[in-house]
Amino acid sequence: MKRELLKWCVGAAAFMAPAMADAQKNLQVNVAAAKADIQPTMWGVFFEDINQGADGGIYAELVKNRSFEFFKPLMGWNITRKQFQEGDLIIMNRADKPANPRYLQATVKNAARGDLGLTNEGFKGMGIKNGLRYDFSVMYRQAAPGVKLYVELVDSLGKTYGGTAVDLSQAGQDWHTAKASFTANATVPKGRMRVWFEGNGVVDLDMISLFPSDTWKGRPGGMRADMIQMLADMKPGFVRFPGGCIVEGYDLDQRYQWKKTIGALEDRQLIINRWNFEFAHRPAPDYFQTFGLGFFEYFQLCEDIGAEPLPILNAGMACQFNTAELVPMEDLQPYIQDALDLVEFANGAVTTKWGAKRAELGHPEPFNLKFMGVGNENWGPQYVERLKVFTKAIKDKYPDIKLVNSSGTDPNGDRFDYLNTELRSMNADIIDEHYYRRPEWFLENARRYDNYPRTGPKVFAGEYAAQTDKVVSIHNKNSWQAALAEAAFMTGLERNADVVTMASYAPLFAHAEGWQWTPDMIWVDNLRAYGTPNYYVQQLYSLNKGNKVLPITLNKDVVAGQDSLYASAALDTKTKEVIVKVVNVSGKPQQVNLDLKGVKSLASQGKLFLLQSNDLNVVNSLEQPKNLAPVESSIAIKGKAVKMEAKPYSFSVVRVAYK
């Protein structure tokens, strides 16, 4: 690591002008020369079900394999019985429910509580909170009543921390739902749920579920509130969903199909998550997608936190790193129809087929979808050929929908050059660029968009994160070195907001025991969540966005590495504030004078938000969630200039009111 930090310091020093090293840096901000609009979508978030992000993550269901549809039907479940009898608990498969064929059939013979039961291990355990209500539900079918269930929460030693009895009173050929609630009497980070059988009879069980009552907005069967609150606290301009590589699938059978993720939970067809087997160094054999979190819930989430929805759809191509399976051009129409139907689902009147489906799900008002992605990290002429057909069909029917198109996996090279040329010749709306690179790359590329064309397609910095080791390394850390490099790079994104209209760090969430990929913006366990230094960089940009770009220069040049400084400036015309972001990537303090031209006067005090550490290796953790977090203070102002110290290895945001 010392060698890498030395490389960083040498790289940062390359931008330094020795004669200026100890001199005050005079950064001129021309407030009267506001340039490009900064779009409300400028800073957003990218969600993908990786690192246990959905099931066992933001989807608050505590029961793993609740419908017995995993490849191993009893994965996640353990059977407890005093005497073994063949056939007491068996998995049945029905032909009339292709989306959810399996269920458990229990034959209960004079059983008392403790004789026969099932225990579910949850997702790396179940986070149990003292004093919280838990809501249990189960679908059941029986010819005649005779069986009662007891549900309880236990720890690894079997000690009980709350439970209740569940009466299965209805009979006949139809399936019924039984519900019961109880309160936990202790906090347990790795609990389990146990179900005991009592009585006599044969009963079929499916969709065995347990939710905490403190979901986001208190919605039954909803999302984990602390994780969603961290997104809401960022005030993101958009949420990109559902990924990522899961959009493509390992093959086309495993691709994400949005129509299978809406409607009744028992009708949402589970599929394997591609991150189940993608990385040999982090196998996850119990990683599946139940789609309890589906497209309706994604749209609802976006509405809740005031973000634009950005769904990404399959372009008729499986992941090109895996099978590279293609849909023949003559068979592409169903994929295109899925895209057209999604717009109708999101925006259509309740008199339309898919608008009526949205209303049926409880949301008659449209979601006002404005953006859609076609393909994820696809490349080559096969992608362009399919994209042209998609684009024509969507634009013919919905000309106002802005389409996001892939520029491949890398920010340069033959694939990128080919796609960038083709997409610009197509006059694409938005080109999605991805960069997972070393921190030094982010410093060196702060000017990347300074010379991009100001007309034609806009850019979506759709996936980026500094890699402290290398891509797909288990040694990548969410260190301050990585976050500081991203902060420097983002000054270039903001400076070029007439080119870059959207940007999002990736991946978003990771479970401390269930991850496949690092680094990640927000880390969680079963009870806690914390933001990394990268999270706080993203949050500071998003909360201090402004709506107009202001020119900011050092010696008549953009501030992009001279003497290790990076800077951007923006105007918030609603609050009448100038917002200046200054990044110092060197290990020495620097005196900075922000000379604001074109204002009548400034307020006598401004606000300073500082993210800083002298240790580039510093990280946050579950035990120290705010080891590095922004500190807010006041800054005194005299005249039309703001004097500040850019501390070593720091990211500063200054807000000052003007007249």
mmCIF file of all heavy atoms in Angstrom, residues 9-30:
data_model
loop_
_atom_site.group_PDB
_atom_site.id
_atom_site.type_symbol
_atom_site.label_atom_id
_atom_site.label_comp_id
_atom_site.label_asym_id
_atom_site.label_seq_id
_atom_site.Cartn_x
_atom_site.Cartn_y
_atom_site.Cartn_z
ATOM 1 N N CYS A 9 1.082 10.083 -4.833
ATOM 2 C CA CYS A 9 1.704 11.371 -4.549
ATOM 3 C C CYS A 9 2.515 11.884 -5.727
ATOM 4 O O CYS A 9 2.507 13.071 -6.043
ATOM 5 C CB CYS A 9 2.579 11.265 -3.304
ATOM 6 S SG CYS A 9 1.642 10.949 -1.791
ATOM 7 N N VAL A 10 3.227 10.970 -6.390
ATOM 8 C CA VAL A 10 3.996 11.364 -7.569
ATOM 9 C C VAL A 10 3.055 11.851 -8.662
ATOM 10 O O VAL A 10 3.290 12.862 -9.319
ATOM 11 C CB VAL A 10 4.859 10.185 -8.059
ATOM 12 C CG1 VAL A 10 5.479 10.500 -9.406
ATOM 13 C CG2 VAL A 10 5.950 9.875 -7.039
ATOM 14 N N GLY A 11 1.910 11.127 -8.837
ATOM 15 C CA GLY A 11 0.937 11.528 -9.854
ATOM 16 C C GLY A 11 0.341 12.880 -9.554
ATOM 17 O O GLY A 11 0.175 13.727 -10.432
ATOM 18 N N ALA A 12 0.016 13.103 -8.278
ATOM 19 C CA ALA A 12 -0.559 14.394 -7.910
ATOM 20 C C ALA A 12 0.465 15.508 -8.096
ATOM 21 O O ALA A 12 0.147 16.603 -8.571
ATOM 22 C CB ALA A 12 -1.037 14.352 -6.459
ATOM 23 N N ALA A 13 1.717 15.225 -7.747
ATOM 24 C CA ALA A 13 2.759 16.243 -7.847
ATOM 25 C C ALA A 13 3.020 16.649 -9.287
ATOM 26 O O ALA A 13 3.494 17.748 -9.557
ATOM 27 C CB ALA A 13 4.048 15.738 -7.197
ATOM 28 N N ALA A 14 2.702 15.768 -10.225
ATOM 29 C CA ALA A 14 2.948 16.085 -11.628
ATOM 30 C C ALA A 14 2.155 17.295 -12.091
ATOM 31 O O ALA A 14 2.515 17.953 -13.060
ATOM 32 C CB ALA A 14 2.597 14.875 -12.503
ATOM 33 N N PHE A 15 1.071 17.603 -11.371
ATOM 34 C CA PHE A 15 0.253 18.745 -11.756
ATOM 35 C C PHE A 15 0.728 20.039 -11.106
ATOM 36 O O PHE A 15 0.201 21.100 -11.378
ATOM 37 C CB PHE A 15 -1.202 18.490 -11.349
ATOM 38 C CG PHE A 15 -1.839 17.368 -12.122
ATOM 39 C CD1 PHE A 15 -2.016 16.129 -11.539
ATOM 40 C CD2 PHE A 15 -2.250 17.562 -13.426
ATOM 41 C CE1 PHE A 15 -2.596 15.091 -12.248
ATOM 42 C CE2 PHE A 15 -2.836 16.531 -14.136
ATOM 43 C CZ PHE A 15 -3.010 15.293 -13.555
ATOM 44 N N MET A 16 1.694 19.940 -10.205
ATOM 45 C CA MET A 16 2.082 21.111 -9.424
ATOM 46 C C MET A 16 3.032 22.014 -10.202
ATOM 47 O O MET A 16 3.929 21.565 -10.883
ATOM 48 C CB MET A 16 2.745 20.686 -8.108
ATOM 49 C CG MET A 16 1.828 19.917 -7.164
ATOM 50 S SD MET A 16 2.685 19.309 -5.700
ATOM 51 C CE MET A 16 3.173 20.840 -4.928
ATOM 52 N N ALA A 17 2.786 23.302 -10.063
ATOM 53 C CA ALA A 17 3.730 24.287 -10.578
ATOM 54 C C ALA A 17 4.600 24.732 -9.405
ATOM 55 O O ALA A 17 4.119 25.398 -8.491
ATOM 56 C CB ALA A 17 2.989 25.493 -11.164
ATOM 57 N N PRO A 18 5.887 24.370 -9.364
ATOM 58 C CA PRO A 18 6.716 24.593 -8.177
ATOM 59 C C PRO A 18 6.726 26.041 -7.708
ATOM 60 O O PRO A 18 6.719 26.299 -6.512
ATOM 61 C CB PRO A 18 8.100 24.139 -8.638
ATOM 62 C CG PRO A 18 7.820 23.117 -9.708
ATOM 63 C CD PRO A 18 6.595 23.608 -10.404
ATOM 64 N N ALA A 19 6.717 26.988 -8.633
ATOM 65 C CA ALA A 19 6.769 28.387 -8.241
ATOM 66 C C ALA A 19 5.521 28.803 -7.480
ATOM 67 O O ALA A 19 5.526 29.784 -6.739
ATOM 68 C CB ALA A 19 6.947 29.267 -9.477
ATOM 69 N N MET A 20 4.430 28.059 -7.668
ATOM 70 C CA MET A 20 3.169 28.418 -7.038
ATOM 71 C C MET A 20 2.955 27.646 -5.746
ATOM 72 O O MET A 20 1.975 27.869 -5.032
ATOM 73 C CB MET A 20 1.995 28.095 -7.971
ATOM 74 C CG MET A 20 1.976 28.869 -9.262
ATOM 75 S SD MET A 20 0.664 28.225 -10.327
ATOM 76 C CE MET A 20 -0.788 28.437 -9.292
ATOM 77 N N ALA A 21 3.837 26.727 -5.413
ATOM 78 C CA ALA A 21 3.548 25.740 -4.378
ATOM 79 C C ALA A 21 3.112 26.371 -3.068
ATOM 80 O O ALA A 21 2.238 25.862 -2.391
ATOM 81 C CB ALA A 21 4.766 24.858 -4.159
ATOM 82 N N ASP A 22 3.750 27.475 -2.645
ATOM 83 C CA ASP A 22 3.419 28.079 -1.362
ATOM 84 C C ASP A 22 2.645 29.382 -1.521
ATOM 85 O O ASP A 22 2.329 30.048 -0.528
ATOM 86 C CB ASP A 22 4.702 28.335 -0.564
ATOM 87 C CG ASP A 22 5.422 27.024 -0.250
ATOM 88 O OD1 ASP A 22 4.742 26.063 0.158
ATOM 89 O OD2 ASP A 22 6.647 26.992 -0.440
ATOM 90 N N ALA A 23 2.340 29.777 -2.727
ATOM 91 C CA ALA A 23 1.627 31.031 -2.962
ATOM 92 C C ALA A 23 0.133 30.826 -2.795
ATOM 93 O O ALA A 23 -0.383 29.724 -2.929
ATOM 94 C CB ALA A 23 1.933 31.543 -4.365
ATOM 95 N N GLN A 24 -0.545 31.923 -2.474
ATOM 96 C CA GLN A 24 -2.007 31.853 -2.410
ATOM 97 C C GLN A 24 -2.554 31.614 -3.804
ATOM 98 O O GLN A 24 -2.117 32.218 -4.777
ATOM 99 C CB GLN A 24 -2.565 33.164 -1.845
ATOM 100 C CG GLN A 24 -4.082 33.205 -1.831
ATOM 101 C CD GLN A 24 -4.604 34.476 -1.202
ATOM 102 O OE1 GLN A 24 -4.728 34.583 0.004
ATOM 103 N NE2 GLN A 24 -4.886 35.465 -2.038
ATOM 104 N N LYS A 25 -3.517 30.700 -3.903
ATOM 105 C CA LYS A 25 -4.127 30.390 -5.195
ATOM 106 C C LYS A 25 -5.356 31.264 -5.373
ATOM 107 O O LYS A 25 -6.274 31.225 -4.542
ATOM 108 C CB LYS A 25 -4.512 28.907 -5.273
ATOM 109 C CG LYS A 25 -3.402 27.950 -4.860
ATOM 110 C CD LYS A 25 -2.127 28.180 -5.647
ATOM 111 C CE LYS A 25 -1.044 27.178 -5.280
ATOM 112 N NZ LYS A 25 -0.687 27.159 -3.854
ATOM 113 N N ASN A 26 -5.358 32.055 -6.407
ATOM 114 C CA ASN A 26 -6.477 32.960 -6.673
ATOM 115 C C ASN A 26 -7.386 32.324 -7.718
ATOM 116 O O ASN A 26 -7.059 32.289 -8.906
ATOM 117 C CB ASN A 26 -5.967 34.313 -7.166
ATOM 118 C CG ASN A 26 -7.081 35.337 -7.254
ATOM 119 O OD1 ASN A 26 -7.903 35.437 -6.346
ATOM 120 N ND2 ASN A 26 -7.114 36.084 -8.348
ATOM 121 N N LEU A 27 -8.509 31.785 -7.273
ATOM 122 C CA LEU A 27 -9.474 31.146 -8.176
ATOM 123 C C LEU A 27 -10.572 32.157 -8.504
ATOM 124 O O LEU A 27 -11.258 32.655 -7.598
ATOM 125 C CB LEU A 27 -10.100 29.905 -7.526
ATOM 126 C CG LEU A 27 -9.323 28.586 -7.676
ATOM 127 C CD1 LEU A 27 -7.914 28.693 -7.144
ATOM 128 C CD2 LEU A 27 -10.078 27.459 -6.977
ATOM 129 N N GLN A 28 -10.683 32.476 -9.763
ATOM 130 C CA GLN A 28 -11.675 33.465 -10.188
ATOM 131 C C GLN A 28 -12.965 32.769 -10.611
ATOM 132 O O GLN A 28 -12.949 31.858 -11.448
ATOM 133 C CB GLN A 28 -11.134 34.320 -11.326
ATOM 134 C CG GLN A 28 -9.980 35.213 -10.908
ATOM 135 C CD GLN A 28 -9.763 36.366 -11.867
ATOM 136 O OE1 GLN A 28 -10.166 36.316 -13.020
ATOM 137 N NE2 GLN A 28 -9.114 37.421 -11.389
ATOM 138 N N VAL A 29 -14.070 33.217 -10.025
ATOM 139 C CA VAL A 29 -15.402 32.693 -10.338
ATOM 140 C C VAL A 29 -16.213 33.821 -10.951
ATOM 141 O O VAL A 29 -16.455 34.841 -10.297
ATOM 142 C CB VAL A 29 -16.106 32.153 -9.075
ATOM 143 C CG1 VAL A 29 -17.467 31.562 -9.446
ATOM 144 C CG2 VAL A 29 -15.238 31.132 -8.359
ATOM 145 N N ASN A 30 -16.627 33.650 -12.188
ATOM 146 C CA ASN A 30 -17.386 34.691 -12.885
ATOM 147 C C ASN A 30 -18.877 34.428 -12.712
ATOM 148 O O ASN A 30 -19.486 33.681 -13.474
ATOM 149 C CB ASN A 30 -17.008 34.729 -14.366
ATOM 150 C CG ASN A 30 -17.523 35.981 -15.050
ATOM 151 O OD1 ASN A 30 -18.429 36.644 -14.551
ATOM 152 N ND2 ASN A 30 -16.927 36.312 -16.190
#
